[in-house]
Amino acid sequence: MQQKTTLISTSQFHKDVYKGLTDFPKHLSSKYFYDAKGDKLFQEIMDMPEYYLTNSEFKILDKFKDEICRAFFKDSKEFNLIELGAGDGKKTKILLRHLVAEGIPFQYVPIDISENALIQLEDSINNELPSVRVASLQGTYFETLENLCKMQHKRKVIMFLGSNIGNLLHPQAVEFLMSIQKLMTDDDLLFIGFDQKKDPQTILNAYNDAAGITERFNKNLLARINSELDANFDLNKFLHWEVYDPAKGTAKSYLVARENQTEYINGLDLTITFDAWETIHTEISQKYDDNIVSWLADKAGMQISRIFSDENKFYKNYILKK
Ligand code: AVI
């Protein structure tokens, strides 16, 4: 699944940490969770019993692989199956295996910022599915997608799994979808996962697991500031706190200072003070229903063509068209 090693420039990390910790209320971007340690923790999160997202999407792909693959295929011509944020490809391999078994002509094009993730993915596909042609592309999603469109005029099926869109606020999600839409022709498809609204307790448990893995994932932001910006945050002086607003469908993660504290960040030459119970907002994980997805798609110039759901209706994969 989406294993993300971000190679965002150090100076951007410096700037964002400076801005986020000097703002009121304080905030840090969840994109900075994913260094080598964060990638490993996210892998552990995806294996947790409480984190139903991965398993639900896995089940959808497995149950509907035939319908999904048939929907991808058109005109008996080879198409590019492009995956944004490819990760370890565990779920994608269900579709790749089925496409091969059905003799459907395609080329798999995983796009990821992490070269390392792509090398590992390509190796594992070459081992497990040697007949799949893989043409991985390293880079940021839109730049890379744009370059690919300029170079090749094949039909595209673009995949964005894992409800990764949920880490964006609605206006950013619309912008994201719109950027994809602009690179699509009328024949192209977007296959995308959206985690659904459900019992609020189920959602809270997914982001507040008993083993404390999500807590370590959240606190990895501070650990990263300690190691990369030469600071000395005591992680025990912060709580991991999750809230879910069922009206908005928004889960939010915070780090909460347990006591008054002052930290000096050498790398930024910056002193930060926290009052007891002051918060740092670190992540949003948006939950959806068909109406919200339809509204987002419409705003981005697309429409829903198919919906695939798991038995519990915990999670859905949508095919969007222009
Ligand atoms: C990557 N993203 C979709 C995950 C989510 O569910 O928001 C990241 C995550 N954060 C805490 N647990 C998992």
Side-chain angles (χ1 to χ4, degrees), residues 4 34 42 45 51 53 162-164 167 207 214 217 283 285:
K4 303 188 267 189
Y34 304 92
F42 185 51
I45 285 175
Y51 196 72
L53 286 82
S163 199
N164 284 340
N167 296 130
Y207 293 92
T214 313
F217 185 61
E283 188 180 47
S285 298

Side-chain angles (χ1 to χ4, degrees), residues 293-305:
V293 175
S294 172
W295 173 79
L296 288 173
D298 184 58
K299 287 253 168 212
M302 287 193 274
Q303 49 185 320
I304 299 174
S305 150

Side-chain angles (χ1 to χ4, degrees), residues 73-115:
F73 188 45
K74 200 187 168 193
D75 298 341
S76 46
K77 286 202 197 108
E78 181 178 284
F79 66 93
N80 270 335
L81 181 62
I82 300 164
E83 182 163 18
L84 305 179
D88 67 3
K90 201 167 148 195
K91 285 177 294 185
T92 310
K93 281 178 197 158
I94 300 172
L95 300 181
L96 298 182
R97 199 167 285 119
H98 196 72
L99 288 166
V100 169
E102 294 299 304
I104 296 175
F106 74 103
Q107 173 170 250
Y108 177 51
V109 186
I111 297 179
D112 207 294
I113 192 92
S114 159
E115 191 162 11

Side-chain angles (χ1 to χ4, degrees), residues 39-268:
D39 280 352
K40 223 172 139 260
L41 286 167
F42 185 51
Q43 207 67 43
E44 285 180 42
I45 285 175
M46 289 189 291
D47 290 336
M48 296 180 336
E50 294 96 333
Y51 196 72
Y52 58 83
L53 286 82
T54 312
N55 204 26
S56 306
E57 191 168 48
F58 193 91
K59 283 188 181 151
I60 294 172
L61 300 187
D62 194 41
K63 183 168 174 192
F64 297 105
K65 54 183 177 288
D66 197 54
E67 280 174 81
I68 295 169
C69 289
R70 285 189 195 289
F72 285 0
F73 188 45
K74 200 187 168 193
D75 298 341
S76 46
K77 286 202 197 108
E78 181 178 284
F79 66 93
N80 270 335
L81 181 62
I82 300 164
E83 182 163 18
L84 305 179
D88 67 3
K90 201 167 148 195
K91 285 177 294 185
T92 310
K93 281 178 197 158
I94 300 172
L95 300 181
L96 298 182
R97 199 167 285 119
H98 196 72
L99 288 166
V100 169
E102 294 299 304
I104 296 175
F106 74 103
Q107 173 170 250
Y108 177 51
V109 186
I111 297 179
D112 207 294
I113 192 92
S114 159
E115 191 162 11
N116 194 32
L118 288 173
I119 291 169
Q120 282 183 21
L121 176 66
E122 214 168 314
D123 279 355
S124 78
I125 293 177
N126 288 341
N127 281 333
E128 291 172 44
L129 294 158
S131 54
V132 172
R133 276 194 303 125
V134 188
S136 54
L137 295 174
Q138 192 262 325
T140 56
Y141 296 159
F142 298 119
E143 231 176 289
T144 314
L145 202 53
E146 211 171 344
N147 288 337
L148 178 71
C149 294
K150 279 183 203 151
M151 274 159 26
Q152 284 189 11
H153 299 284
K154 268 191 227 165
R155 236 189 100 238
K156 297 186 287 299
V157 175
I158 301 165
M159 295 202 295
F160 192 51
L161 302 181
S163 199
N164 284 340
I165 193 158
N167 296 130
L168 304 177
L169 294 163
H170 286 324
Q172 297 166 339
V174 169
E175 213 177 291
F176 179 88
L177 292 173
M178 190 124 58
S179 307
I180 295 181
Q181 183 267 126
K182 282 186 187 150
L183 296 169
M184 286 166 69
T185 69
D186 291 349
D187 285 338
D188 294 343
L189 304 176
L190 173 63
F191 183 64
I192 178 166
F194 285 90
D195 192 21
Q196 301 289 300
K197 290 183 176 177
K198 59 184 66 62
D199 182 339
Q201 194 59 55
T202 307
I203 292 172
L204 280 176
N205 294 347
Y207 293 92
N208 197 13
D209 59 289
I213 300 168
T214 313
E215 176 181 351
R216 280 192 278 142
F217 185 61
N218 196 9
K219 289 186 178 178
N220 191 45
L221 280 170
L222 295 180
R224 218 180 144 174
I225 294 173
N226 281 348
S227 64
E228 289 181 35
L229 298 178
D230 191 11
N232 203 15
F233 283 102
D234 180 348
L235 306 195
N236 294 321
K237 288 188 182 168
F238 289 86
L239 288 175
H240 162 67
W241 199 258
E242 192 70 24
V243 294
Y244 176 65
D245 176 350
K248 293 204 173 94
T250 309
K252 287 186 184 175
S253 303
Y254 293 93
L255 291 165
V256 185
R258 300 163 83 115
E259 55 188 73
N260 290 337
Q261 47 195 295
T262 301
E263 293 307 326
Y264 178 63
I265 305 177
N266 278 286
L268 299 177

